[in-house]
Amino acid sequence: MEASTWWWILAGMAVVAELLTGTIYLLMICLGLAAGAVSAHLGLGMPLQIVVAAVVGVLCVLVARRIRRVRSSGLPASADPAMNLDIGETVTVNQWEADGTARVAYRGAQWTAVLRAGSMPAPGQYRVVELQGNRLVVDKA
């Protein structure tokens, strides 16, 4: 078998491994392996094929990490609107309890709402700013 065939087989195995693990980084390694296959098709020697595959794979991983770092919001998942679609929704609080909680109707069910630190309890409209387990952390809308 030709060297390019082995590179393509390795690239396919990396794709299968990525599908089993769900990480983007194996796809970046797969791009490096594909670059090794292309370099084999171009007639480069085995040492150059390995260098091309390694350089392309490492560069792709570094670019993916950089993009991932730039795109992350820095918020915990419980307060990140990209991760939790409840963030930013409004609820109506009719009455606050003495312990600082309230029962609110939200999405067809009764939820426990708690105030964000520093907010004053008063009946009215509130915006969901975070979820802590099954509690809605709310702030005045």
Side-chain angles (χ1 to χ4, degrees), residues 15-88:
V15 168
V16 169
E18 191 282 328
L19 290 172
L20 294 174
T21 60
T23 177
I24 189 89
Y25 298 112
L26 283 174
L27 284 179
M28 302 300 108
I29 298 299
C30 179
L31 290 174
L33 294 170
V38 169
S39 65
H41 285 296
L42 293 174
L44 298 178
M46 183 56 75
L48 281 177
Q49 293 173 25
I50 293 171
V51 168
V52 167
V55 168
V56 170
V58 168
L59 286 177
C60 287
V61 167
L62 292 175
V63 168
R65 286 188 65 194
R66 177 134 175 105
I67 289 172
R68 191 175 203 171
R69 192 175 310 136
V70 168
R71 285 190 180 174
S72 79
S73 66
L75 294 171
S78 62
D80 187 359
M83 299 290 287
N84 196 328
L85 298 178
D86 295 320
I87 306 299

Side-chain angles (χ1 to χ4, degrees), residues 107-136:
R107 290 194 293 145
Q110 289 293 315
W111 289 68
T112 300
V114 295
L115 275 173
R116 174 187 245 176
S119 298
M120 297 300 297
Q125 291 284 327
Y126 285 83
R127 185 176 50 88
V128 177
V129 293
E130 186 177 354
L131 264 72
Q132 292 178 345
N134 62 349
R135 292 178 160 216
L136 301 173

